């Protein structure tokens, strides 16, 4: 029953993303079609990068410690505004990173998501997987002006609110558990876990209540994005935050 509901919902979700992009005149940008990736070695690297991005546990196995793909959070293969799109990033980095408290490269930012969101190990700078991820982001960024952030970079800005965890539990049960499960384990690879061993660790950006609220308010529930109030988003984020998450490996604290 849950599986059927979810398949229907995922089909609707594909339609919802499509219509939203078409209706919104302020976002005329369209992601380049994967059919336009060139033949030859550079094209092969871009294609590999896209596969790593959308099926991370399969294509970057040695560096991943959970069941999360980059595209579970960076929606539409890293192209959806206000779902932390990766479009334009090669022209923005190196830049100052608050968490690291220093200027970091794009490679280092990718490593941050590997050790935190992927609960894994840092992908080496010279690994073909790193080259492929950068090649993919560079390909997505064609036509973007270096030094200018892509419109919709990051997440939406919500006012800071005090969460109500009890109400968050109700929101989760009514609007999230049908896909992400009563146990938070989701149905990977299609539906990501939101807590437990398959999910991001407690050092991840998504483990921050304000970040998750901003992500969820604009992007979830996946079959009705934008329907949560800011308060509901804070409440459900605080509820998920209170569930068990793997401890971040402090050996990687400099990332
Ligand atoms: C569990 C969710 C999650 C997963 C999985 C994840 N990320 Fe992220 N990532 C985030 C969040 C949240 C941010 C910060 C967004 C913000 O606040 O602007 C972020 C930021 C980034 C940034 C910087 C974006 C910017 O605008 O500066 C890059 C690059 C990035 N991630 C790459 C990756 C890659 C590559 C993968 C897969 C190997 C990945 N991420 C997996 C949640 C995730
Ligand atoms: C119709 C199914 C569905 C519903 C309902 C749904 N989600 Fe999701 N959710 C997804 C899918 C699928 C993804 C991954 C996005 C992708 O692959 O495009 C996702 C991703 C996420 C992520 C980022 C990935 C991660 O592992 O952290 C969070 C957080 C999240 N959902 C929270 C919620 C919350 C909170 C609700 C309820 C308000 C909700 N979702 C309702 C299907 C759903």
């Amino acid at each position: 029953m849950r599986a059927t509901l979810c398949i229907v919902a995922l089909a609707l979700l594909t339609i919802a993303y499509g219509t939203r992009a078409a209706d919104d005149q302020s976002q005329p940008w369209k992601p380049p079609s994967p059919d336009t990736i060139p033949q030859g070695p550079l094209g092969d690297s871009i294609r590999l990068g896209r596969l790593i991005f959308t099926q991370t546990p399969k294509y970057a196995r040695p560096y991943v410690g959970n069941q999360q793909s980059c595209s579970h959070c960076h929606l539409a293969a890293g192209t959806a505004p206000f779902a932390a799109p990766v479009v334009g990033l090669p022209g923005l980095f190196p830049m100052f990173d608050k968490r690291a408290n220093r200027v970091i490269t794009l490679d280092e930012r990718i490593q941050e998501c590997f050790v935190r969101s992927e609960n894994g190990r840092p992908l080496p700078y010279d690994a073909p997987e790193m080259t492929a991820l950068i090649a993919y982001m560079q390909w997505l960024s064609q036509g973007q002006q270096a030094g200018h952030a892509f419109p919709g970079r990051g997440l939406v800005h919500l006012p800071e609110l005090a969460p109500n965890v009890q109400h968050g539990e109700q929101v989760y049960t009514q609007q999230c558990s049908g896909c992400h499960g009563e146990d938070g384990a989701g149905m990977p690879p299609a539906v990501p876990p939101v807590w437990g061993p398959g999910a991001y660790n407690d050092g991840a950006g998504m483990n921050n209540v304000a970040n998750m609220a901003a992500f969820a308010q604009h992007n979830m529930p996946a079959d009705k994005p934008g329907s949560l109030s800011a308060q509901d988003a804070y409440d459900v984020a605080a509820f998920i935050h209170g569930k068990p998450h793997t401890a971040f490996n402090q050996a990687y604290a400099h990332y």
Side-chain angles (χ1 to χ4, degrees), residues 5-6 8-10 13 17 68-69 71-77 171-172 174-180 189-195 198-200 206 212 215-216 219-224 228 232-233 236-237 240:
L5 268 179
C6 233
V8 173
L10 284 174
L13 153 76
Y17 278 138
Q68 299 252 222
S69 287
S71 60
H72 285 155
C73 302
H74 301 276
L75 302 188
V171 174
Y172 187 83
Q174 289 165 7
Q175 305 194 52
C176 319
S177 66
C179 289
H180 292 288
V191 181
V194 284
W195 69 78
Y200 54 85
M206 201 55 98
M212 176 173 293
F215 174 87
N219 301 297
M220 291 291 140
D223 53 349
K224 263 172 97 184
L228 290 180
D232 285 352
V236 74
I240 294 174

Side-chain angles (χ1 to χ4, degrees), residues 127-195:
E129 291 90 344
M130 179 65 89
T131 309
L133 282 168
I134 304 275
Y136 172 60
M137 291 181 196
Q138 185 72 59
W139 174 76
L140 280 180
S141 307
Q142 52 193 287
Q144 300 295 312
Q145 201 181 342
H148 289 252
F150 179 68
R153 178 176 174 224
L155 305 167
V156 288
H157 292 281
L158 298 182
E160 224 175 281
L161 297 170
N164 175 336
V165 179
Q166 267 179 335
H167 181 248
E169 178 166 14
Q170 284 172 25
V171 174
Y172 187 83
T173 306
Q174 289 165 7
Q175 305 194 52
C176 319
S177 66
C179 289
H180 292 288
E182 291 294 345
D183 58 358
M187 284 180 277
V191 181
V194 284
W195 69 78

Side-chain angles (χ1 to χ4, degrees), residues 68-70 73-74 89 93 106 109 113-114 117-118 153-154:
Q68 299 252 222
S69 287
C70 313
C73 302
H74 301 276
L89 295 184
F93 282 81
L106 181 54
R109 186 62 189 84
C113 266
F114 267 96
S117 299
E118 299 289 332
R153 178 176 174 224

Side-chain angles (χ1 to χ4, degrees), residues 2-67:
R2 202 177 108 203
T4 322
L5 268 179
C6 233
I7 288 161
V8 173
L10 284 174
L12 288 173
L13 153 76
T14 317
I15 299 165
Y17 278 138
T19 355
R20 218 160 36 134
D23 286 347
D24 191 349
Q25 294 300 314
S26 64
Q27 296 288 347
W29 183 83
K30 288 227 169 62
S33 159
D35 305 339
T36 64
I37 298 175
Q39 294 305 308
L42 177 58
D44 291 345
S45 183
I46 296 168
R47 267 183 290 274
L48 175 63
R50 193 169 191 279
L51 287 171
I52 296 168
F53 203 88
T54 53
Q55 301 172 62
T56 319
K58 181 169 174 192
Y59 288 96
R61 166 128 308 286
Y63 310 103
V64 176
N66 61 19
Q67 294 174 303

